[in-house]
Amino acid sequence: MNAVKQPQVVHTRTDLQAALSKLSGRRALVMTMGALHAGHLELVRQAHQHGDHVVVTIFVNPTQFAPGEDFDAYPRTLEADVAALATVGADLVYAPAVEEVYPHGPARVTIDPGPTAKVLEGATRPTHFAGVCLVVNKVFNLVAPQVAMFGRKDAQQLAIIRQMVRDLDMPIEIVGVDIVRDEDGLALSSRNAYLSADERSRALVLSRALRSGAQLAAEGASAEQVVGSVRQVINSQPGVELDYVALVDPVDFTAATHGAAVLAVAAKVGSTRLIDNAEVDLQ
Ligand code: PAF
């Protein structure tokens, strides 16, 4: 990978503010938890089209992990991440410690992410989206971007962040960026690093099932038929434990029966929980 431009890396809010004060023009923000892959780099590439400067945050946010989830095991690869960001020309990287983001300990004022956060991912991870909204809100306040990029792979997260920005009048444009997949269809995720070679090949059933579901929808199948077929394909793969298959409205994640919908799946492959989705059109 050839470096385009070495980003400035800062770790404290004081250094962040000093660095931000030197950037004039429109700021585009890409928030990440590190362990960067081509999907993150695509967020940065597209961020350049929306702002004069791209600010990337790298922070494994403890408040979006429940006890027993993979907060401790989550890959932390700062040096490699900064090298990868140099190839796409990020201007500034903010990689704070937990105490820098939560200097007063656990926040006493928090954000209720509302009903969209209670279904699908929220049913399995009830505190997850409140933690996401909290850290996104804090970073929005610290960085003050005009635009922020989020991947469509986390479609429910994107929907909730759009609602937060709308309902709390945050003056920030939210841009969704398409899922980046490996050649064999696997949606890129930092958690793919947990998969053994065997698990990785089993995990391909998710994108395969979504493709066949989207095809059925395009041929006029009902929501029930599409969901039933995706469920059947995934359940037929040994070593993959399905959590949910759902067709939901892209804005509020209520059940969708016609029009544009998100076909969303989650499953455990070994001990790794993966999510994926496809945008479909129900007739
Ligand atoms: O999508 C993620 O990686 C995280 O949820 C985010 C948006 C960086 C907040 O910690």
Side-chain angles (χ1 to χ4, degrees):
M1 284 191 284
N2 293 325
V4 172
K5 180 184 171 204
Q6 282 300 329
Q8 182 182 358
V9 182
V10 294
H11 301 283
T12 65
R13 30 177 98 201
T14 313
D15 289 349
L16 173 68
Q17 295 314 323
L20 286 173
S21 70
K22 294 195 189 103
L23 303 179
S24 56
R26 217 172 129 83
R27 285 173 201 163
L29 172 68
V30 176
M31 286 185 67
T32 80
M33 298 205 301
L36 301 184
H37 50 63
H40 296 114
L41 301 187
E42 185 56 27
L43 294 178
V44 175
R45 262 187 219 104
Q46 294 201 23
H48 284 296
Q49 294 162 21
H50 293 267
D52 303 306
H53 300 287
V54 178
V55 180
V56 177
T57 60
I58 297 179
F59 177 62
V60 185
N61 171 40
T63 63
Q64 67 190 77
F65 291 80
E69 289 188 348
D70 57 343
F71 174 71
D72 290 331
Y74 201 88
R76 286 154 171 93
T77 55
L78 183 61
E79 212 175 306
D81 291 345
V82 173
L85 288 171
T87 68
V88 285
D91 297 277
L92 178 59
V93 175
Y94 179 45
V98 172
E99 303 71 44
E100 197 64 39
V101 177
Y102 296 99
H104 314 291
R108 293 162 70 101
V109 175
T110 54
I111 294 181
D112 175 355
T116 306
K118 293 198 165 40
V119 298
L120 306 190
E121 284 307 286
T124 305
R125 309 181 71 194
T127 57
H128 173 67
F129 289 115
V132 171
C133 285
L134 180 62
V135 78
V136 169
N137 201 335
K138 283 163 88 60
V139 172
F140 280 1
N141 285 334
L142 288 170
V143 175
Q146 278 69 41
V147 56
M149 322 294 292
F150 291 91
R152 291 208 167 91
K153 160 126 184 318
D154 294 305
Q156 193 171 0
Q157 168 173 282
L158 174 61
I160 291 168
I161 290 170
R162 283 193 196 285
Q163 287 170 9
M164 176 177 78
V165 163
R166 183 199 61 187
D167 291 347
L168 301 184
D169 297 315
M170 298 175 163
I172 299 169
E173 183 192 346
I174 302 299
V175 176
V177 175
D178 284 350
I179 298 176
V180 177
R181 297 180 180 281
D182 268 337
E183 266 171 30
D184 56 12
L186 188 69
L188 296 191
S189 161
S190 304
R191 290 193 168 95
N192 292 350
Y194 299 148
L195 300 171
S196 68
D198 179 54
E199 287 168 344
R200 194 188 174 290
S201 72
R202 289 173 200 270
L204 295 179
V205 73
L206 299 186
S207 54
R208 204 163 60 234
L210 287 173
R211 274 200 306 276
S212 75
Q215 176 69 32
L216 277 179
E219 288 163 9
S222 68
E224 210 171 301
Q225 287 167 326
V226 171
V227 167
S229 148
V230 171
R231 192 169 282 143
Q232 197 176 19
V233 173
I234 297 176
N235 280 336
S236 68
Q237 173 67 63
V240 176
E241 191 192 323
L242 183 62
D243 180 351
Y244 61 74
V245 178
L247 263 168
V248 293
D249 181 283
V251 175
D252 62 12
F253 271 59
T254 54
T257 50
H258 62 274
V262 175
L263 176 57
V265 298
K268 261 187 151 179
V269 184
S271 55
T272 305
R273 191 161 179 285
L274 298 177
I275 60 172
D276 198 355
N277 70 80
E279 287 168 23
V280 303
D281 205 7
L282 290 166
Q283 298 168 25

